[in-house]
Amino acid sequence: MKILVLGGTWFLGREVVAGALGRGWAVTVFNRGRSAPNPAGVAAVHGDRTSIDDIRRLAQEGPWDAVIDTSSSDLAPREVLLSAQALRSQVGRWVHVSTVSVYAQWPREALTESSPLLDAPADADASFGYTGADGTPTAYGFQKAGGEQAVYSAFAHESVFLRPGVILGPGEYVGRLPWWLSRAHRGGSLLAPGPAGRCIQPVDVRDVARFALDQACATSSGGFNLTHPVGISFEAFLAECLSASGGSGCPVWVGAEDLLAQGVRQWTELPLWRTHSGVWSVDSGRAVAAGLQCRPVVETIRDTWAWMESGERPVSHPRWAEHGISREKEEAVLWAVHRPSAGGAAPS
């Protein structure tokens, strides 16, 4: 099996490459060569996906049985289209890493793969789309939906679209799970978004990579939601963060109404917390039927802490700085919600 990985040097791309090499496949990676070194054992081609000359030069290195695209998150649909059209004659199958944000109803409603998608043309530029007043839909979702259209226009039924919600695990560059682990390790009263029993569905990067590789040599097509089919309650999630990191903290559960009243930003200041009812109601049944296997979320948490303790650092990315509430604001929110006049004791 010969595959081309667009990206291939960090987080999901790195796991895809490692898994492919472990299967004995021949791997070519295409990237700019700026973020991280190329893995050993691959053929590396450096270039920019927005350059038609670079893409044509890449095509000369083919053919490949499949391409796995892990690097289109910052590309406009027309730039995805550029790659898909230029590589069509050299690639048998395209596995495209997309996002659950392509659904028109996410995160307001529960979803399956048959839920309607946002409408975006394959040749849209970076200005296409908008973000709604309540944060839904998002311009990002429109862009990614257009990217899917771009791939489909070139590969039709030889295209597969992987739509994860949140990917966690060793090497994470966004900083969601690393922030919770670091916060748990620090201890003290830990601001926790209620309700404690709400289930979340993050998926491990290694499980996404394995499924992407399986799809590279499969015959299926269309979209697959990649969300944990069992998930974990937020209460169990924080308990495991405390256990894995050796933290002595105590979660203080605060409801959504109070968090919003105190100006806590959803999804970023308290990572993984969002009030919309459909955010963690994404059915992954089709992917499970096609072979998706998800390790327990507690394993993802423990392995991520071990990775953090190893001293290895993720590729630098601006989204890391977006995640996590400051210590000062956390203390202010806890005091405001649990001050004696509100009927509770002040946090320690």
Side-chain angles (χ1 to χ4, degrees):
M1 185 82 174
K2 294 179 61 179
I3 69 165
L4 168 64
V5 179
L6 300 180
T9 59
W10 43 289
F11 201 40
L12 178 56
R14 182 179 64 178
E15 293 293 341
V16 166
V17 169
L21 293 175
R23 299 183 187 203
W25 295 1
V27 181
T28 301
V29 298
F30 178 75
N31 52 64
R32 293 177 297 177
R34 299 175 184 174
S35 299
N38 290 303
V42 305
V45 180
H46 288 162
D48 192 320
R49 287 187 61 178
T50 64
S51 166
I52 184 59
D53 292 336
D54 287 356
I55 294 297
R56 287 172 176 167
R57 177 167 51 84
L58 169 65
Q60 295 174 3
E61 302 294 324
W64 299 276
D65 298 300
V67 58
I68 300 178
D69 184 0
T70 69
S71 69
S72 66
S73 61
D74 296 327
L75 296 180
R78 64 170 53 180
E79 294 165 343
V80 177
L81 183 63
L82 180 74
S83 300
Q85 291 177 334
L87 294 172
R88 183 63 187 97
S89 65
Q90 297 297 311
V91 175
R93 184 171 174 79
W94 190 293
V95 179
H96 190 73
V97 180
S98 186
T99 170
V100 73
S101 297
V102 299
Y103 289 109
Q105 298 162 332
W106 188 85
R108 298 184 301 273
E109 300 178 18
L111 299 173
T112 69
E113 286 89 353
S114 62
S115 298
L117 304 179
L118 293 169
D119 187 16
D123 61 350
D125 64 19
S127 68
F128 186 87
Y130 64 91
T131 297
D134 69 342
T136 66
T138 63
Y140 173 73
F142 280 104
Q143 290 285 304
K144 294 294 282 184
E148 288 194 10
Q149 289 298 319
V151 172
Y152 186 81
S153 71
F155 282 81
H157 295 296
E158 291 301 332
S159 56
V160 175
F161 304 103
L162 309 185
R163 298 170 183 153
V166 172
I167 303 176
L168 303 179
E172 184 198 336
Y173 64 92
V174 175
R176 295 185 177 103
L177 179 51
W179 184 84
W180 277 117
L181 283 163
S182 297
R183 176 62 192 89
H185 181 66
R186 195 176 83 220
S189 296
L190 192 161
L191 179 61
R198 188 179 189 187
C199 185
I200 60 176
Q201 299 176 282
V203 64
D204 192 289
V205 62
R206 296 162 293 186
D207 298 332
V208 175
R210 183 174 60 245
F211 187 76
L213 292 167
D214 290 344
Q215 286 302 307
C217 55
T219 58
S220 52
S221 63
F224 290 96
N225 295 335
L226 300 189
T227 54
H228 202 291
V230 177
I232 188 172
S233 71
F234 225 117
E235 183 176 32
F237 173 82
L238 291 188
E240 188 57 40
C241 285
L242 287 163
S243 175
S245 67
S248 58
C250 179
V252 179
W253 296 97
V254 177
E257 185 176 340
D258 286 329
L259 291 173
L260 294 174
Q262 294 299 319
V264 178
R265 293 195 305 275
Q266 299 183 52
W267 210 238
T268 53
E269 285 194 307
L270 292 181
L272 308 179
W273 167 64
R274 199 164 185 173
T275 58
H276 299 84
S277 60
V279 65
W280 297 117
S281 297
V282 181
D283 179 55
S284 57
R286 184 171 189 253
V288 171
L292 174 66
Q293 298 180 15
C294 291
R295 69 198 68 207
V297 178
V298 294
E299 184 178 330
T300 302
I301 295 170
R302 294 168 188 166
D303 290 351
T304 301
W305 178 252
W307 164 72
M308 292 169 64
E309 285 288 273
S310 74
E312 186 179 350
R313 291 291 177 265
V315 169
S316 179
H317 196 279
R319 292 183 67 187
W320 185 281
E322 298 175 359
H323 291 87
I325 192 168
S326 70
R327 182 179 302 197
E328 295 76 16
K329 185 170 182 177
E330 180 182 23
E331 291 175 351
V333 172
L334 288 171
W335 179 265
V337 174
H338 291 279
R339 65 188 186 276
S341 61
S348 59

